[in-house]
Amino acid sequence: MKVTASSPGKIILTGEHFVVHGAYSIAAAINKRVFVSITDVQKESFIVSGSSESKVGADDGRFPLVKAIVREAFGDNASKHSRFEIRISSEIPSGSGLGSSAAVSVATAAAALKFSRSNIDQKKVLDLASLGEKQVHGNPSGIDVETSLNGGLLLFSRKTGSKSIPLNRIVHFLIVYSGKPRRTSSLISKVEQRKKEFPNFFDSLTRAASFLSLDVVDALTAGDLPRLGALMNISQATLSWIGVSTPVLDQLIEDIASRDVFGVKLTGAGGGGSIIALPKPETMRALLKFTSKNYATSFVSSIPQDGLRWES
Ligand code: PMV
């Protein structure tokens, strides 16, 4: 038996970090995915990703997320499935702020549920994938997993959950990974510290992040790219104020901002990771050429509708 599931990474357009504290945030799936296959094998169960591998039962600190999900999924049936191989193949660099861990979680959760012959529904996959995410991020809002599972464009808050926003036109973003991986959990802690130091200011920024996110929905729905870009720039300023931008990201953002774009900002937890830019359609090609010179992971993405998908 072999099952393969895949899930997309994501970008956050507005509201990252503030979403952890109750704000609305907007996220979109990207056209880079993680593929997870589970196959019956004759030897001991193990997990492989690139050149790294580990036995499922080994307590060696490798693949903690995948192991947690698999143990939970197989539950009492674990002995029936004691010999399997999990193969992970990712188009998304890990620690890049592009949702690779959520995509691994969603695809692993779905594949493990199917392999263990459980009935599958969206809620089961979401719950199982979220369990893995909590182990990695500490206090995740849930936006990454929701986006990877559902695909498309999502308006999300912890209180209201996720709402898919239909789009009647194609929007392209330039995505550039700075090459500096980071841990989301440390950045979430850093922001919590900021909140303790300046509670009133932080609270007003959290409310502002919600307004920005709702404005982004209107701008995208109306196809108003200049306004969307302006909202991205404001979002970047608030992320700088809470201390999650870095000199490397600031320089990259400044270089891109001087090249005829509507907007540019960091995306995700910051502290390294990636930036997203909304270039004018006629400047996209030249900008991609420019960023590709110094940053190996530079690509253009639309907002694909596909979330979790079964692969043949
Ligand atoms: O997955 P990352 O590193 O892009 O960050 C996710 C966005 C945060 O708001 C920083 C965390 C969260 O769980 O919402």
Side-chain angles (χ1 to χ4, degrees):
M1 182 180 182
K2 176 173 180 179
V3 297
T4 303
S6 79
S7 284
K10 63 93 190 58
I11 50 175
I12 295 187
L13 305 185
T14 45
E16 50 272 88
H17 284 295
F18 300 107
V19 66
V20 173
H21 303 275
Y24 279 114
S25 178
I26 296 279
I30 57 173
N31 50 24
K32 295 227 178 273
R33 304 179 73 85
V34 170
F35 299 80
V36 175
S37 299
I38 309 188
T39 325
D40 284 309
V41 288
Q42 291 309 312
K43 44 191 175 178
E44 202 172 342
S45 299
F46 63 104
I47 306 167
V48 193
S49 177
S51 56
S52 183
E53 74 174 68
S54 170
K55 289 177 183 157
V56 169
D59 204 6
D60 55 7
R62 288 188 181 166
F63 307 109
L65 192 153
V66 175
K67 287 177 184 172
I69 291 174
V70 164
R71 279 190 208 123
E72 186 72 18
F74 291 156
D76 294 341
N77 284 330
S79 55
K80 276 195 221 153
H81 295 290
S82 59
R83 284 154 195 249
F84 54 81
E85 172 195 294
I86 301 179
R87 245 170 218 281
I88 303 164
S89 150
S90 178
E91 298 171 347
I92 311 162
S94 79
S96 63
L98 299 176
S100 76
S101 76
V104 168
S105 296
V106 170
T108 303
L113 286 170
K114 191 160 184 182
F115 192 82
S116 64
R117 297 194 169 81
S118 300
N119 293 328
I120 302 183
D121 59 39
Q122 295 275 104
K123 165 98 176 58
K124 265 194 175 173
V125 177
L126 183 71
D127 289 348
L128 188 55
S130 303
L131 181 144
E133 280 293 279
K134 277 183 193 134
Q135 293 214 353
V136 175
H137 287 348
N139 180 24
S141 64
I143 191 168
D144 286 18
V145 169
E146 287 274 0
T147 313
S148 194
L149 179 65
N150 294 300
L153 183 71
L154 289 190
L155 175 67
F156 175 90
S157 87
R158 285 189 122 155
K159 201 165 155 197
T160 58
S162 67
K163 183 180 170 215
S164 287
I165 309 291
L167 272 183
N168 52 12
R169 64 197 81 223
I170 297 176
V171 184
H172 288 102
F173 293 92
L174 171 68
I175 301 172
V176 183
Y177 173 37
S178 67
K180 302 256 180 291
R182 78 291 171 286
R183 284 179 71 85
T184 300
S185 53
S186 337
L187 286 142
I188 290 180
S189 305
K190 185 174 175 182
V191 172
E192 265 158 12
Q193 195 51 42
R194 260 299 138 100
K195 182 179 175 176
K196 274 193 200 133
E197 284 169 45
F198 305 101
N200 295 332
F201 184 56
F202 192 89
D203 186 49
S204 62
L205 287 181
T206 305
R207 274 181 279 132
S210 279
F211 288 125
L212 278 179
S213 298
L214 295 172
D215 278 355
V216 162
V217 173
D218 290 345
L220 266 167
T221 313
D224 188 344
L225 299 188
R227 187 168 171 80
L228 174 58
L231 292 164
M232 287 166 60
N233 291 337
I234 298 171
S235 173
Q236 171 61 23
T238 63
L239 291 166
S240 267
W241 288 338
I242 60 168
V244 296
S245 201
T246 65
V248 170
L249 292 179
D250 288 345
Q251 187 60 56
L252 178 56
I253 287 170
E254 202 182 308
D255 288 348
I256 292 176
S258 64
R259 286 172 180 259
D260 224 7
V261 295
F262 291 125
V264 51
K265 67 181 279 286
L266 70 80
T267 186
S274 302
I275 64 95
I276 53 171
L278 183 65
K280 296 187 176 160
E282 63 277 16
T283 54
M284 178 67 93
R285 226 177 218 272
L287 195 58
L288 176 62
K289 202 169 162 199
F290 167 72
T291 56
S292 302
K293 271 190 211 149
N294 293 320
Y295 300 94
T297 306
S298 290
F299 60 97
V300 176
S301 183
S302 58
I303 303 179
Q305 285 307 309
D306 270 11
L308 171 65
R309 196 167 77 192
W310 297 109
E311 306 288 336
S312 53

